[in-house]
Amino acid sequence: MLTDQAIVAALRAAPPRDGYRCSDVRAEGGVLGVTFSHSGAPSARLEVRLPSTGAPQWWLFAPPEDADDWVSQFLVWTDEEVHTDGLGDSRERLDVDGVSHVVPTNYGWQLSDPREHARLTVLAGPFGWHDGGRTTWPDGSRSVPAAGQQHAGHVADRAEPRLRLRRDALVLRPGTSARRARCHEPPAVRGRRADAQRPHPDTGYVRDD
């Protein structure tokens, strides 16, 4: 069973990251907090809701087999965010009790450009680019939770009905690297991804994942 305690233990035991550091890993009330630091950029705290809360898990590209798998997928997501200026000026910061936070969204870490933020929020959809941000329950079904999660500690969840989906509905494409792993996607999701990869006419931003 995927528990909050197992996820925290697995993240604390994870190997060092390439070019940045994860520290102060803590969970309270279903919220996981991690501090990221990178040379030449100010550190930032990230808070995300854990599977126990039923909140969207936007970083997942496949249902996690266990806590180690959840952490592995989570760190693929943080790798991509940090290495695309995730700790720099391109991302929005939120001050929480004097601590600077980056803000998780369905497309990644919230951009500081409000137009791009609005555009990518729509394109990514409530469950993220992989459409895999759904909680997997012990019986193999997956729920559709509230779509309105922004900063973990500041937006209340709204209960929504559970939809039962087969656990094997999302599988990795053979031969795809873990960093670029993709799920088999319905046409609507593929269409959103194609739109997202078109450069924005004003900013030129392309979501490359």
Side-chain angles (χ1 to χ4, degrees):
M1 183 175 179
L2 194 61
T3 66
D4 294 358
Q5 294 83 355
I7 287 173
V8 170
L11 185 53
R12 287 174 174 166
R17 310 315 299 160
D18 180 16
Y20 71 100
R21 182 170 175 261
C22 305
S23 61
D24 194 16
V25 177
R26 290 179 282 128
E28 183 177 357
V31 176
L32 173 68
V34 188
T35 296
F36 295 96
S37 53
H38 185 282
S39 59
S43 63
R45 187 109 179 127
L46 172 72
E47 291 186 347
V48 297
R49 288 178 179 159
L50 289 162
S52 63
T53 68
Q57 309 283 285
W58 294 312
W59 44 91
L60 297 182
F61 47 77
E65 295 295 330
D66 52 26
D68 287 335
D69 188 20
W70 188 99
V71 167
S72 177
Q73 295 186 52
F74 176 76
L75 290 175
V76 168
W77 183 65
T78 64
D79 283 350
E80 293 188 346
E81 293 302 318
V82 171
H83 292 308
T84 54
D85 195 37
L87 297 177
D89 293 339
S90 67
R91 299 309 199 276
E92 185 74 8
R93 293 288 187 114
L94 182 66
D95 185 277
V96 181
D97 297 328
V99 178
S100 181
H101 287 62
V102 287
V103 184
T105 72
N106 57 343
Y107 62 80
W109 295 358
Q110 183 174 335
L111 295 172
S112 53
D113 181 333
R115 294 177 63 186
E116 281 294 86
H117 168 63
R119 185 177 77 93
L120 294 174
T121 297
V122 172
L123 289 175
F127 298 108
W129 299 107
H130 311 290
D131 204 37
R134 307 172 192 264
T135 296
T136 301
W137 297 87
D139 64 0
S141 65
R142 292 188 295 138
S143 69
V144 177
Q149 175 184 346
Q150 289 293 330
H151 186 263
H154 296 271
V155 177
D157 283 324
R158 182 180 69 256
E160 295 187 6
R162 289 179 65 179
L163 299 184
R164 302 182 64 85
L165 302 173
R166 291 185 300 113
R167 178 174 171 77
D168 60 355
L170 296 175
V171 295
L172 299 179
R173 295 177 182 174
T176 303
S177 68
R179 186 174 176 82
R180 298 300 180 193
R182 288 292 177 266
C183 302
H184 290 291
E185 301 166 327
V189 176
R190 287 197 297 273
R192 289 200 303 270
R193 187 184 301 282
D195 287 343
Q197 291 173 341
R198 296 190 182 98
H200 188 274
D202 295 329
T203 66
Y205 182 93
V206 175
R207 182 68 189 186
D208 180 18
D209 53 32

PDB file of all heavy atoms in Angstrom, residues 98-134:
ATOM      1  N   GLY A  98       7.654  33.698   5.324  1.00  0.00           N
ATOM      2  CA  GLY A  98       9.044  34.080   5.109  1.00  0.00           C
ATOM      3  C   GLY A  98       9.875  33.099   4.316  1.00  0.00           C
ATOM      4  O   GLY A  98      11.071  33.329   4.105  1.00  0.00           O
ATOM      5  N   VAL A  99       9.266  32.002   3.844  1.00  0.00           N
ATOM      6  CA  VAL A  99       9.981  30.995   3.050  1.00  0.00           C
ATOM      7  C   VAL A  99       9.490  31.063   1.612  1.00  0.00           C
ATOM      8  O   VAL A  99       8.279  31.072   1.349  1.00  0.00           O
ATOM      9  CB  VAL A  99       9.754  29.580   3.616  1.00  0.00           C
ATOM     10  CG1 VAL A  99      10.456  28.535   2.750  1.00  0.00           C
ATOM     11  CG2 VAL A  99      10.238  29.498   5.052  1.00  0.00           C
ATOM     12  N   SER A 100      10.430  31.114   0.668  1.00  0.00           N
ATOM     13  CA  SER A 100      10.081  31.213  -0.750  1.00  0.00           C
ATOM     14  C   SER A 100       9.699  29.844  -1.304  1.00  0.00           C
ATOM     15  O   SER A 100      10.456  28.870  -1.189  1.00  0.00           O
ATOM     16  CB  SER A 100      11.271  31.778  -1.540  1.00  0.00           C
ATOM     17  OG  SER A 100      10.959  31.897  -2.906  1.00  0.00           O
ATOM     18  N   HIS A 101       8.508  29.766  -1.916  1.00  0.00           N
ATOM     19  CA  HIS A 101       8.005  28.521  -2.489  1.00  0.00           C
ATOM     20  C   HIS A 101       7.832  28.653  -3.996  1.00  0.00           C
ATOM     21  O   HIS A 101       7.400  29.708  -4.485  1.00  0.00           O
ATOM     22  CB  HIS A 101       6.628  28.160  -1.913  1.00  0.00           C
ATOM     23  CG  HIS A 101       6.640  27.667  -0.501  1.00  0.00           C
ATOM     24  ND1 HIS A 101       7.069  28.439   0.553  1.00  0.00           N
ATOM     25  CD2 HIS A 101       6.258  26.475   0.030  1.00  0.00           C
ATOM     26  CE1 HIS A 101       6.945  27.754   1.680  1.00  0.00           C
ATOM     27  NE2 HIS A 101       6.457  26.556   1.388  1.00  0.00           N
ATOM     28  N   VAL A 102       8.153  27.588  -4.732  1.00  0.00           N
ATOM     29  CA  VAL A 102       7.666  27.454  -6.102  1.00  0.00           C
ATOM     30  C   VAL A 102       6.287  26.807  -6.016  1.00  0.00           C
ATOM     31  O   VAL A 102       5.958  26.153  -5.022  1.00  0.00           O
ATOM     32  CB  VAL A 102       8.620  26.623  -6.979  1.00  0.00           C
ATOM     33  CG1 VAL A 102       9.868  27.411  -7.317  1.00  0.00           C
ATOM     34  CG2 VAL A 102       8.971  25.299  -6.329  1.00  0.00           C
ATOM     35  N   VAL A 103       5.473  26.997  -7.051  1.00  0.00           N
ATOM     36  CA  VAL A 103       4.063  26.595  -6.988  1.00  0.00           C
ATOM     37  C   VAL A 103       3.794  25.469  -7.979  1.00  0.00           C
ATOM     38  O   VAL A 103       3.951  25.654  -9.192  1.00  0.00           O
ATOM     39  CB  VAL A 103       3.151  27.797  -7.300  1.00  0.00           C
ATOM     40  CG1 VAL A 103       1.683  27.405  -7.145  1.00  0.00           C
ATOM     41  CG2 VAL A 103       3.483  28.974  -6.384  1.00  0.00           C
ATOM     42  N   PRO A 104       3.396  24.286  -7.514  1.00  0.00           N
ATOM     43  CA  PRO A 104       3.100  23.183  -8.435  1.00  0.00           C
ATOM     44  C   PRO A 104       1.799  23.415  -9.194  1.00  0.00           C
ATOM     45  O   PRO A 104       0.812  23.890  -8.624  1.00  0.00           O
ATOM     46  CB  PRO A 104       2.979  21.979  -7.507  1.00  0.00           C
ATOM     47  CG  PRO A 104       2.508  22.554  -6.209  1.00  0.00           C
ATOM     48  CD  PRO A 104       3.161  23.906  -6.101  1.00  0.00           C
ATOM     49  N   THR A 105       1.812  23.103 -10.462  1.00  0.00           N
ATOM     50  CA  THR A 105       0.614  23.197 -11.291  1.00  0.00           C
ATOM     51  C   THR A 105       0.506  21.951 -12.147  1.00  0.00           C
ATOM     52  O   THR A 105       1.394  21.099 -12.152  1.00  0.00           O
ATOM     53  CB  THR A 105       0.651  24.427 -12.220  1.00  0.00           C
ATOM     54  OG1 THR A 105       1.626  24.192 -13.252  1.00  0.00           O
ATOM     55  CG2 THR A 105       0.990  25.697 -11.472  1.00  0.00           C
ATOM     56  N   ASN A 106      -0.567  21.859 -12.912  1.00  0.00           N
ATOM     57  CA  ASN A 106      -0.766  20.695 -13.768  1.00  0.00           C
ATOM     58  C   ASN A 106       0.246  20.605 -14.909  1.00  0.00           C
ATOM     59  O   ASN A 106       0.437  19.539 -15.488  1.00  0.00           O
ATOM     60  CB  ASN A 106      -2.183  20.696 -14.342  1.00  0.00           C
ATOM     61  CG  ASN A 106      -2.508  21.964 -15.113  1.00  0.00           C
ATOM     62  OD1 ASN A 106      -1.825  22.984 -14.986  1.00  0.00           O
ATOM     63  ND2 ASN A 106      -3.559  21.926 -15.911  1.00  0.00           N
ATOM     64  N   TYR A 107       0.931  21.707 -15.238  1.00  0.00           N
ATOM     65  CA  TYR A 107       1.910  21.662 -16.326  1.00  0.00           C
ATOM     66  C   TYR A 107       3.352  21.672 -15.823  1.00  0.00           C
ATOM     67  O   TYR A 107       4.287  21.554 -16.617  1.00  0.00           O
ATOM     68  CB  TYR A 107       1.701  22.835 -17.301  1.00  0.00           C
ATOM     69  CG  TYR A 107       1.885  24.215 -16.719  1.00  0.00           C
ATOM     70  CD1 TYR A 107       3.147  24.772 -16.539  1.00  0.00           C
ATOM     71  CD2 TYR A 107       0.777  24.984 -16.346  1.00  0.00           C
ATOM     72  CE1 TYR A 107       3.316  26.038 -16.004  1.00  0.00           C
ATOM     73  CE2 TYR A 107       0.927  26.255 -15.810  1.00  0.00           C
ATOM     74  CZ  TYR A 107       2.203  26.769 -15.645  1.00  0.00           C
ATOM     75  OH  TYR A 107       2.366  28.036 -15.115  1.00  0.00           O
ATOM     76  N   GLY A 108       3.572  21.817 -14.534  1.00  0.00           N
ATOM     77  CA  GLY A 108       4.926  21.877 -13.983  1.00  0.00           C
ATOM     78  C   GLY A 108       4.957  22.822 -12.797  1.00  0.00           C
ATOM     79  O   GLY A 108       4.059  22.795 -11.950  1.00  0.00           O
ATOM     80  N   TRP A 109       5.977  23.662 -12.721  1.00  0.00           N
ATOM     81  CA  TRP A 109       6.048  24.697 -11.692  1.00  0.00           C
ATOM     82  C   TRP A 109       5.580  25.999 -12.315  1.00  0.00           C
ATOM     83  O   TRP A 109       5.991  26.358 -13.423  1.00  0.00           O
ATOM     84  CB  TRP A 109       7.465  24.841 -11.159  1.00  0.00           C
ATOM     85  CG  TRP A 109       7.959  23.618 -10.427  1.00  0.00           C
ATOM     86  CD1 TRP A 109       7.256  22.468 -10.191  1.00  0.00           C
ATOM     87  CD2 TRP A 109       9.248  23.427  -9.857  1.00  0.00           C
ATOM     88  NE1 TRP A 109       8.031  21.569  -9.507  1.00  0.00           N
ATOM     89  CE2 TRP A 109       9.263  22.136  -9.281  1.00  0.00           C
ATOM     90  CE3 TRP A 109      10.396  24.224  -9.775  1.00  0.00           C
ATOM     91  CZ2 TRP A 109      10.377  21.612  -8.646  1.00  0.00           C
ATOM     92  CZ3 TRP A 109      11.513  23.711  -9.127  1.00  0.00           C
ATOM     93  CH2 TRP A 109      11.499  22.426  -8.564  1.00  0.00           C
ATOM     94  N   GLN A 110       4.713  26.713 -11.629  1.00  0.00           N
ATOM     95  CA  GLN A 110       4.026  27.853 -12.212  1.00  0.00           C
ATOM     96  C   GLN A 110       4.997  28.873 -12.799  1.00  0.00           C
ATOM     97  O   GLN A 110       5.955  29.304 -12.156  1.00  0.00           O
ATOM     98  CB  GLN A 110       3.143  28.541 -11.168  1.00  0.00           C
ATOM     99  CG  GLN A 110       2.341  29.710 -11.759  1.00  0.00           C
ATOM    100  CD  GLN A 110       1.364  30.284 -10.772  1.00  0.00           C
ATOM    101  OE1 GLN A 110       0.934  29.604  -9.839  1.00  0.00           O
ATOM    102  NE2 GLN A 110       0.991  31.538 -10.950  1.00  0.00           N
ATOM    103  N   LEU A 111       4.718  29.266 -14.033  1.00  0.00           N
ATOM    104  CA  LEU A 111       5.518  30.280 -14.707  1.00  0.00           C
ATOM    105  C   LEU A 111       5.184  31.665 -14.185  1.00  0.00           C
ATOM    106  O   LEU A 111       4.050  31.941 -13.780  1.00  0.00           O
ATOM    107  CB  LEU A 111       5.270  30.231 -16.217  1.00  0.00           C
ATOM    108  CG  LEU A 111       5.725  28.956 -16.934  1.00  0.00           C
ATOM    109  CD1 LEU A 111       5.237  28.961 -18.373  1.00  0.00           C
ATOM    110  CD2 LEU A 111       7.239  28.826 -16.886  1.00  0.00           C
ATOM    111  N   SER A 112       6.156  32.548 -14.242  1.00  0.00           N
ATOM    112  CA  SER A 112       5.924  33.926 -13.805  1.00  0.00           C
ATOM    113  C   SER A 112       5.180  34.733 -14.862  1.00  0.00           C
ATOM    114  O   SER A 112       4.591  35.766 -14.540  1.00  0.00           O
ATOM    115  CB  SER A 112       7.257  34.608 -13.464  1.00  0.00           C
ATOM    116  OG  SER A 112       8.174  34.502 -14.535  1.00  0.00           O
ATOM    117  N   ASP A 113       5.188  34.276 -16.097  1.00  0.00           N
ATOM    118  CA  ASP A 113       4.453  34.946 -17.172  1.00  0.00           C
ATOM    119  C   ASP A 113       2.978  34.540 -17.070  1.00  0.00           C
ATOM    120  O   ASP A 113       2.630  33.380 -17.301  1.00  0.00           O
ATOM    121  CB  ASP A 113       5.018  34.512 -18.526  1.00  0.00           C
ATOM    122  CG  ASP A 113       4.325  35.189 -19.708  1.00  0.00           C
ATOM    123  OD1 ASP A 113       3.148  35.580 -19.589  1.00  0.00           O
ATOM    124  OD2 ASP A 113       4.977  35.312 -20.762  1.00  0.00           O
ATOM    125  N   PRO A 114       2.082  35.465 -16.730  1.00  0.00           N
ATOM    126  CA  PRO A 114       0.678  35.090 -16.515  1.00  0.00           C
ATOM    127  C   PRO A 114      -0.012  34.561 -17.766  1.00  0.00           C
ATOM    128  O   PRO A 114      -0.887  33.696 -17.679  1.00  0.00           O
ATOM    129  CB  PRO A 114       0.031  36.383 -16.010  1.00  0.00           C
ATOM    130  CG  PRO A 114       0.931  37.485 -16.463  1.00  0.00           C
ATOM    131  CD  PRO A 114       2.307  36.912 -16.470  1.00  0.00           C
ATOM    132  N   ARG A 115       0.370  35.063 -18.945  1.00  0.00           N
ATOM    133  CA  ARG A 115      -0.271  34.583 -20.182  1.00  0.00           C
ATOM    134  C   ARG A 115       0.114  33.141 -20.468  1.00  0.00           C
ATOM    135  O   ARG A 115      -0.731  32.315 -20.839  1.00  0.00           O
ATOM    136  CB  ARG A 115       0.117  35.485 -21.348  1.00  0.00           C
ATOM    137  CG  ARG A 115      -0.431  36.904 -21.238  1.00  0.00           C
ATOM    138  CD  ARG A 115       0.043  37.786 -22.374  1.00  0.00           C
ATOM    139  NE  ARG A 115      -0.411  37.327 -23.661  1.00  0.00           N
ATOM    140  CZ  ARG A 115      -0.038  37.863 -24.825  1.00  0.00           C
ATOM    141  NH1 ARG A 115       0.817  38.877 -24.838  1.00  0.00           N
ATOM    142  NH2 ARG A 115      -0.506  37.399 -25.938  1.00  0.00           N
ATOM    143  N   GLU A 116       1.396  32.810 -20.297  1.00  0.00           N
ATOM    144  CA  GLU A 116       1.830  31.431 -20.512  1.00  0.00           C
ATOM    145  C   GLU A 116       1.257  30.511 -19.446  1.00  0.00           C
ATOM    146  O   GLU A 116       0.909  29.360 -19.736  1.00  0.00           O
ATOM    147  CB  GLU A 116       3.353  31.360 -20.504  1.00  0.00           C
ATOM    148  CG  GLU A 116       3.987  31.814 -21.801  1.00  0.00           C
ATOM    149  CD  GLU A 116       3.633  30.865 -22.940  1.00  0.00           C
ATOM    150  OE1 GLU A 116       2.564  31.067 -23.548  1.00  0.00           O
ATOM    151  OE2 GLU A 116       4.403  29.934 -23.218  1.00  0.00           O
ATOM    152  N   HIS A 117       1.167  31.001 -18.232  1.00  0.00           N
ATOM    153  CA  HIS A 117       0.566  30.199 -17.165  1.00  0.00           C
ATOM    154  C   HIS A 117      -0.873  29.833 -17.525  1.00  0.00           C
ATOM    155  O   HIS A 117      -1.274  28.663 -17.414  1.00  0.00           O
ATOM    156  CB  HIS A 117       0.613  30.969 -15.853  1.00  0.00           C
ATOM    157  CG  HIS A 117      -0.235  30.363 -14.777  1.00  0.00           C
ATOM    158  ND1 HIS A 117      -0.006  29.104 -14.262  1.00  0.00           N
ATOM    159  CD2 HIS A 117      -1.328  30.852 -14.123  1.00  0.00           C
ATOM    160  CE1 HIS A 117      -0.914  28.841 -13.341  1.00  0.00           C
ATOM    161  NE2 HIS A 117      -1.723  29.878 -13.238  1.00  0.00           N
ATOM    162  N   ALA A 118      -1.645  30.807 -17.966  1.00  0.00           N
ATOM    163  CA  ALA A 118      -3.042  30.552 -18.312  1.00  0.00           C
ATOM    164  C   ALA A 118      -3.141  29.601 -19.500  1.00  0.00           C
ATOM    165  O   ALA A 118      -3.968  28.682 -19.520  1.00  0.00           O
ATOM    166  CB  ALA A 118      -3.746  31.873 -18.621  1.00  0.00           C
ATOM    167  N   ARG A 119      -2.275  29.799 -20.503  1.00  0.00           N
ATOM    168  CA  ARG A 119      -2.322  28.965 -21.705  1.00  0.00           C
ATOM    169  C   ARG A 119      -2.000  27.507 -21.388  1.00  0.00           C
ATOM    170  O   ARG A 119      -2.719  26.587 -21.795  1.00  0.00           O
ATOM    171  CB  ARG A 119      -1.330  29.508 -22.737  1.00  0.00           C
ATOM    172  CG  ARG A 119      -1.360  28.792 -24.083  1.00  0.00           C
ATOM    173  CD  ARG A 119      -0.409  29.441 -25.068  1.00  0.00           C
ATOM    174  NE  ARG A 119       0.972  29.072 -24.806  1.00  0.00           N
ATOM    175  CZ  ARG A 119       1.593  28.037 -25.396  1.00  0.00           C
ATOM    176  NH1 ARG A 119       0.937  27.273 -26.244  1.00  0.00           N
ATOM    177  NH2 ARG A 119       2.854  27.782 -25.127  1.00  0.00           N
ATOM    178  N   LEU A 120      -0.922  27.281 -20.626  1.00  0.00           N
ATOM    179  CA  LEU A 120      -0.492  25.919 -20.351  1.00  0.00           C
ATOM    180  C   LEU A 120      -1.404  25.221 -19.352  1.00  0.00           C
ATOM    181  O   LEU A 120      -1.568  23.992 -19.405  1.00  0.00           O
ATOM    182  CB  LEU A 120       0.953  25.925 -19.849  1.00  0.00           C
ATOM    183  CG  LEU A 120       1.977  26.371 -20.893  1.00  0.00           C
ATOM    184  CD1 LEU A 120       3.361  26.482 -20.274  1.00  0.00           C
ATOM    185  CD2 LEU A 120       2.006  25.413 -22.075  1.00  0.00           C
ATOM    186  N   THR A 121      -2.018  25.983 -18.463  1.00  0.00           N
ATOM    187  CA  THR A 121      -2.983  25.392 -17.531  1.00  0.00           C
ATOM    188  C   THR A 121      -4.124  24.742 -18.289  1.00  0.00           C
ATOM    189  O   THR A 121      -4.556  23.626 -17.978  1.00  0.00           O
ATOM    190  CB  THR A 121      -3.524  26.460 -16.565  1.00  0.00           C
ATOM    191  OG1 THR A 121      -2.450  26.962 -15.768  1.00  0.00           O
ATOM    192  CG2 THR A 121      -4.592  25.883 -15.650  1.00  0.00           C
ATOM    193  N   VAL A 122      -4.611  25.423 -19.312  1.00  0.00           N
ATOM    194  CA  VAL A 122      -5.703  24.886 -20.127  1.00  0.00           C
ATOM    195  C   VAL A 122      -5.229  23.691 -20.949  1.00  0.00           C
ATOM    196  O   VAL A 122      -5.895  22.654 -21.027  1.00  0.00           O
ATOM    197  CB  VAL A 122      -6.280  25.981 -21.044  1.00  0.00           C
ATOM    198  CG1 VAL A 122      -7.284  25.391 -22.034  1.00  0.00           C
ATOM    199  CG2 VAL A 122      -6.941  27.075 -20.206  1.00  0.00           C
ATOM    200  N   LEU A 123      -4.056  23.819 -21.571  1.00  0.00           N
ATOM    201  CA  LEU A 123      -3.566  22.767 -22.455  1.00  0.00           C
ATOM    202  C   LEU A 123      -3.237  21.476 -21.708  1.00  0.00           C
ATOM    203  O   LEU A 123      -3.493  20.382 -22.216  1.00  0.00           O
ATOM    204  CB  LEU A 123      -2.323  23.253 -23.206  1.00  0.00           C
ATOM    205  CG  LEU A 123      -2.569  24.318 -24.274  1.00  0.00           C
ATOM    206  CD1 LEU A 123      -1.244  24.807 -24.848  1.00  0.00           C
ATOM    207  CD2 LEU A 123      -3.451  23.769 -25.391  1.00  0.00           C
ATOM    208  N   ALA A 124      -2.672  21.596 -20.515  1.00  0.00           N
ATOM    209  CA  ALA A 124      -2.265  20.401 -19.783  1.00  0.00           C
ATOM    210  C   ALA A 124      -3.453  19.612 -19.234  1.00  0.00           C
ATOM    211  O   ALA A 124      -3.378  18.398 -19.074  1.00  0.00           O
ATOM    212  CB  ALA A 124      -1.325  20.779 -18.635  1.00  0.00           C
ATOM    213  N   GLY A 125      -4.557  20.297 -18.966  1.00  0.00           N
ATOM    214  CA  GLY A 125      -5.728  19.615 -18.429  1.00  0.00           C
ATOM    215  C   GLY A 125      -5.587  19.333 -16.942  1.00  0.00           C
ATOM    216  O   GLY A 125      -4.502  19.431 -16.372  1.00  0.00           O
ATOM    217  N   PRO A 126      -6.665  18.970 -16.274  1.00  0.00           N
ATOM    218  CA  PRO A 126      -6.654  18.841 -14.813  1.00  0.00           C
ATOM    219  C   PRO A 126      -5.724  17.762 -14.283  1.00  0.00           C
ATOM    220  O   PRO A 126      -5.334  17.808 -13.128  1.00  0.00           O
ATOM    221  CB  PRO A 126      -8.111  18.524 -14.477  1.00  0.00           C
ATOM    222  CG  PRO A 126      -8.691  17.963 -15.739  1.00  0.00           C
ATOM    223  CD  PRO A 126      -8.007  18.695 -16.843  1.00  0.00           C
ATOM    224  N   PHE A 127      -5.343  16.785 -15.125  1.00  0.00           N
ATOM    225  CA  PHE A 127      -4.492  15.701 -14.645  1.00  0.00           C
ATOM    226  C   PHE A 127      -3.090  15.750 -15.243  1.00  0.00           C
ATOM    227  O   PHE A 127      -2.340  14.796 -15.160  1.00  0.00           O
ATOM    228  CB  PHE A 127      -5.152  14.354 -14.914  1.00  0.00           C
ATOM    229  CG  PHE A 127      -6.450  14.206 -14.198  1.00  0.00           C
ATOM    230  CD1 PHE A 127      -7.644  14.248 -14.890  1.00  0.00           C
ATOM    231  CD2 PHE A 127      -6.491  14.081 -12.816  1.00  0.00           C
ATOM    232  CE1 PHE A 127      -8.855  14.148 -14.228  1.00  0.00           C
ATOM    233  CE2 PHE A 127      -7.694  13.984 -12.143  1.00  0.00           C
ATOM    234  CZ  PHE A 127      -8.882  14.017 -12.846  1.00  0.00           C
ATOM    235  N   GLY A 128      -2.721  16.868 -15.850  1.00  0.00           N
ATOM    236  CA  GLY A 128      -1.361  17.028 -16.331  1.00  0.00           C
ATOM    237  C   GLY A 128      -1.122  16.480 -17.721  1.00  0.00           C
ATOM    238  O   GLY A 128      -2.012  15.937 -18.369  1.00  0.00           O
ATOM    239  N   TRP A 129       0.123  16.642 -18.187  1.00  0.00           N
ATOM    240  CA  TRP A 129       0.477  16.276 -19.564  1.00  0.00           C
ATOM    241  C   TRP A 129       0.273  14.800 -19.844  1.00  0.00           C
ATOM    242  O   TRP A 129      -0.044  14.405 -20.963  1.00  0.00           O
ATOM    243  CB  TRP A 129       1.932  16.646 -19.843  1.00  0.00           C
ATOM    244  CG  TRP A 129       2.223  18.093 -19.706  1.00  0.00           C
ATOM    245  CD1 TRP A 129       2.922  18.701 -18.707  1.00  0.00           C
ATOM    246  CD2 TRP A 129       1.807  19.147 -20.593  1.00  0.00           C
ATOM    247  NE1 TRP A 129       2.965  20.058 -18.911  1.00  0.00           N
ATOM    248  CE2 TRP A 129       2.295  20.355 -20.058  1.00  0.00           C
ATOM    249  CE3 TRP A 129       1.081  19.172 -21.779  1.00  0.00           C
ATOM    250  CZ2 TRP A 129       2.078  21.586 -20.674  1.00  0.00           C
ATOM    251  CZ3 TRP A 129       0.865  20.392 -22.392  1.00  0.00           C
ATOM    252  CH2 TRP A 129       1.347  21.579 -21.849  1.00  0.00           C
ATOM    253  N   HIS A 130       0.479  13.957 -18.870  1.00  0.00           N
ATOM    254  CA  HIS A 130       0.394  12.515 -19.076  1.00  0.00           C
ATOM    255  C   HIS A 130      -1.002  11.982 -18.823  1.00  0.00           C
ATOM    256  O   HIS A 130      -1.239  10.788 -19.008  1.00  0.00           O
ATOM    257  CB  HIS A 130       1.383  11.794 -18.165  1.00  0.00           C
ATOM    258  CG  HIS A 130       2.763  12.367 -18.207  1.00  0.00           C
ATOM    259  ND1 HIS A 130       3.591  12.260 -19.295  1.00  0.00           N
ATOM    260  CD2 HIS A 130       3.450  13.093 -17.293  1.00  0.00           C
ATOM    261  CE1 HIS A 130       4.740  12.869 -19.047  1.00  0.00           C
ATOM    262  NE2 HIS A 130       4.677  13.392 -17.842  1.00  0.00           N
ATOM    263  N   ASP A 131      -1.898  12.842 -18.361  1.00  0.00           N
ATOM    264  CA  ASP A 131      -3.232  12.422 -17.945  1.00  0.00           C
ATOM    265  C   ASP A 131      -3.134  11.266 -16.955  1.00  0.00           C
ATOM    266  O   ASP A 131      -4.004  10.409 -16.890  1.00  0.00           O
ATOM    267  CB  ASP A 131      -4.092  12.017 -19.140  1.00  0.00           C
ATOM    268  CG  ASP A 131      -5.587  12.145 -18.838  1.00  0.00           C
ATOM    269  OD1 ASP A 131      -5.957  13.097 -18.138  1.00  0.00           O
ATOM    270  OD2 ASP A 131      -6.370  11.299 -19.307  1.00  0.00           O
ATOM    271  N   GLY A 132      -2.030  11.253 -16.193  1.00  0.00           N
ATOM    272  CA  GLY A 132      -1.820  10.183 -15.230  1.00  0.00           C
ATOM    273  C   GLY A 132      -1.898  10.668 -13.805  1.00  0.00           C
ATOM    274  O   GLY A 132      -1.601   9.903 -12.886  1.00  0.00           O
ATOM    275  N   GLY A 133      -2.283  11.919 -13.591  1.00  0.00           N
ATOM    276  CA  GLY A 133      -2.293  12.461 -12.240  1.00  0.00           C
ATOM    277  C   GLY A 133      -3.537  12.078 -11.470  1.00  0.00           C
ATOM    278  O   GLY A 133      -4.249  12.927 -10.944  1.00  0.00           O
ATOM    279  N   ARG A 134      -3.811  10.791 -11.392  1.00  0.00           N
ATOM    280  CA  ARG A 134      -4.982  10.304 -10.680  1.00  0.00           C
ATOM    281  C   ARG A 134      -4.517   9.368  -9.574  1.00  0.00           C
ATOM    282  O   ARG A 134      -3.608   8.571  -9.766  1.00  0.00           O
ATOM    283  CB  ARG A 134      -5.917   9.558 -11.630  1.00  0.00           C
ATOM    284  CG  ARG A 134      -6.293  10.349 -12.873  1.00  0.00           C
ATOM    285  CD  ARG A 134      -7.067   9.444 -13.832  1.00  0.00           C
ATOM    286  NE  ARG A 134      -7.219  10.054 -15.145  1.00  0.00           N
ATOM    287  CZ  ARG A 134      -8.279  10.736 -15.536  1.00  0.00           C
ATOM    288  NH1 ARG A 134      -9.266  10.922 -14.701  1.00  0.00           N
ATOM    289  NH2 ARG A 134      -8.352  11.232 -16.748  1.00  0.00           N
TER     290      ARG A 134
END
